[in-house]
Amino acid sequence: MKNLYWFKQISNNGKLSRRLSLGEYKRAESWSKYLVSSGAKIKGEGEEEWSADLSQLYIGYKFAQGRHSRIYRGVYKQMDVAIKLISQPEEDENLAVLVENQFISEVALLFRLCHPNIITFFGACKKPPVFCIITEYLPGGSLRKYLHHQEPHSVPLHLVLKLALDIARGMKYLHSQGILHRDLKSENLLLDEDMCVKVADFGISCLETQCGSAKGFTGTYRWMAPEMIQEKHHTKKVDVYSFGIVLWELLTALTPFENMTPEQAAFAVSQKNARPPLPSACPMAFSHLVNRCWSSNPDKRPHFDEIVSILEGYAEALEQDPDFFSTYKPSSGFTILKCLPKFVLCNRSSSSSSSSSMSRNLN
């Protein structure tokens, strides 16, 4: 296979550690035959800016898969990457069109994004019936995988705060670009070697101006806002609801509605206003925020710019007072300034303009 090499594992120097077996090779070739190039960049009309040079793409072992996709580890231009191969279902023309449209939408969104808490996009190739998306490879795996290796209720609060702030910053940026993620969950949040979280998987994301009702939508019920379950019109606040569920995951290291099927969870959320139970030992600072985020009324959920300000306030307070989470109590007319220790407020008094700006953002 000219200019495209297949191998099972990639070591630090990029050399082969084990060759594919015959069966593995045939399975790999069934996908890779659509990606073989003559060495030139594969470009089609309108693809020039994001088209990948497949002669520099080396594909390794598969580490994840979906209904119409396979995700491989690989090397692209001497960088560790994740390679998402999306196959058009040839037996269903309508579904094939849908898969292609989702691919085009995902690439268009990824191409315009640049933020430390958003997965980095390197390129893509559109060559039906297989499409290819190349992003950075994050060795820490998904947040869900990390949490499932922890004991229940065992993630330290300072780490909960750090991870939540990473996610909120990524989502604040995403919303500032007018984009709804629509499938925010721990499985779509990836960790790098420094435990930095990056938002990933924009397969069903959309521009806010182009999002209508959720009719026919295929999200993930356990994390889905009630208005989406009910196939109603939705806004950016659906991502805030999902963030509330993710924050609950961070606090518990458990799966939401674990004792229910996805369909039962959807019914409980949308018809019974059910939410996963917060542990009795959950700090009020977090329980207050979680309850605001997963409110049944989207208008009562905070925007991500407010969530970031709140979490940054928590981080600053915790740095000044290690007992912050055990002593914090929300008050009526809550703002982040009311939860900070007095000495933090005193330090801020010298910069009244900064304090005033934060208060405006949170009210």
Side-chain angles (χ1 to χ4, degrees):
M1 295 176 63
K2 186 177 180 182
N3 294 317
L4 192 62
Y5 303 88
W6 290 81
F7 49 90
K8 184 65 178 175
Q9 289 182 321
I10 302 170
S11 59
N12 291 332
N13 60 9
K15 292 182 179 179
L16 310 187
S17 61
R18 181 171 79 80
R19 292 188 178 276
L20 290 174
S21 68
L22 180 60
E24 290 169 332
Y25 178 84
K26 287 181 177 178
R27 288 194 295 273
E29 187 181 40
S30 69
W31 285 75
S32 67
K33 63 184 179 180
Y34 301 109
L35 298 176
V36 178
S37 77
S38 60
K41 292 185 179 181
I42 306 298
K43 290 186 178 182
E45 185 178 355
E47 298 177 18
E48 289 78 3
E49 292 182 296
W50 49 258
S51 185
D53 181 357
L54 297 186
S55 68
Q56 299 194 52
L57 179 65
Y58 296 78
I59 305 180
Y61 60 86
K62 181 183 71 177
F63 64 89
Q65 70 180 61
R67 184 179 178 186
H68 300 295
S69 64
R70 307 287 187 273
I71 304 179
Y72 295 83
R73 188 174 177 183
V75 172
Y76 181 63
K77 296 183 177 180
Q78 300 183 336
M79 297 178 291
D80 280 343
V81 296
I83 304 152
K84 181 178 181 180
L85 300 184
I86 305 166
S87 178
Q88 273 188 305
E90 299 177 354
E91 70 284 356
D92 188 330
E93 184 176 346
N94 291 332
L95 185 57
V97 171
L98 177 62
V99 169
E100 180 174 0
N101 288 340
Q102 287 181 337
F103 165 82
I104 294 170
S105 175
E106 183 174 6
V107 171
L109 294 178
L110 281 168
F111 180 70
R112 63 188 288 180
L113 299 176
C114 181
H115 188 273
N117 298 115
I118 300 289
I119 193 82
T120 301
F121 171 73
F122 291 132
C125 173
K126 178 186 173 187
K127 191 173 184 181
V130 168
F131 307 120
C132 167
I133 297 176
I134 306 168
T135 62
E136 65 178 316
Y137 173 78
L138 296 177
S142 72
L143 179 61
R144 184 177 185 182
K145 180 180 177 181
Y146 169 77
L147 292 174
H148 284 196
H149 281 88
Q150 310 306 308
E151 294 292 331
H153 315 292
S154 65
V155 180
L157 291 177
H158 72 274
L159 182 57
V160 170
L161 179 56
K162 187 264 181 201
L163 297 174
L165 195 45
D166 282 350
I167 300 164
R169 284 170 174 159
M171 292 305 301
K172 175 184 175 180
Y173 168 76
L174 198 65
H175 282 189
S176 75
Q177 302 299 303
I179 297 171
L180 280 66
H181 189 282
R182 303 204 297 178
D183 200 19
L184 183 63
K185 57 183 179 180
S186 53
E187 192 172 352
N188 290 338
L189 297 166
L190 305 181
L191 297 165
D192 69 10
E193 62 274 9
D194 299 317
M195 290 293 288
C196 174
V197 186
K198 302 197 178 191
V199 182
D201 199 337
F202 296 88
I204 52 179
S205 302
C206 69
L207 291 172
E208 186 174 23
T209 56
Q210 299 173 358
C211 289
S213 73
K215 189 172 180 61
F217 181 77
T218 55
T220 312
Y221 280 142
R222 298 181 194 277
W223 288 263
M224 193 184 295
E227 63 267 28
M228 294 199 69
I229 295 172
Q230 296 167 354
E231 298 189 339
K232 295 180 179 179
H233 173 77
H234 55 277
T235 67
K236 294 176 182 177
K237 294 299 184 71
V238 298
D239 289 337
V240 176
Y241 176 92
S242 300
F243 175 79
I245 300 292
V246 171
L247 186 50
W248 178 90
E249 288 184 272
L250 290 171
L251 291 162
T252 64
L254 298 171
T255 300
F257 304 107
E258 192 167 20
N259 62 336
M260 300 182 185
T261 66
E263 292 76 15
Q264 288 172 334
F267 180 82
V269 167
S270 61
Q271 303 300 322
K272 304 292 187 180
N273 200 30
R275 301 292 185 269
L278 282 161
S280 58
C282 179
M284 285 190 179
F286 281 127
S287 63
H288 184 83
L289 180 57
V290 168
N291 281 308
R292 292 184 67 201
C293 288
W294 66 26
S295 170
S296 58
N297 184 349
D299 294 334
K300 292 185 177 180
R301 300 172 201 158
H303 290 281
F304 272 108
D305 54 356
E306 180 180 353
I307 293 171
V308 169
S309 294
I310 289 171
L311 293 175
E312 286 177 343
Y314 288 175
E316 184 174 347
L318 185 64
E319 185 177 348
Q320 299 292 338
D321 178 8
D323 296 323
F324 165 70
F325 282 122
S326 61
T327 59
Y328 163 80
K329 287 181 172 56
S331 59
S332 60
F334 170 82
T335 67
I336 189 63
L337 296 180
K338 292 183 180 180
C339 79
L340 298 179
K342 289 183 178 179
F343 53 81
V344 175
L345 295 178
C346 290
N347 290 339
R348 287 192 170 192
S349 64
S350 62
S351 179
S352 59
S353 61
S354 175
S355 179
S356 298
S357 174
M358 178 177 287
S359 295
R360 287 195 302 272
N361 288 338
L362 291 163
N363 289 309

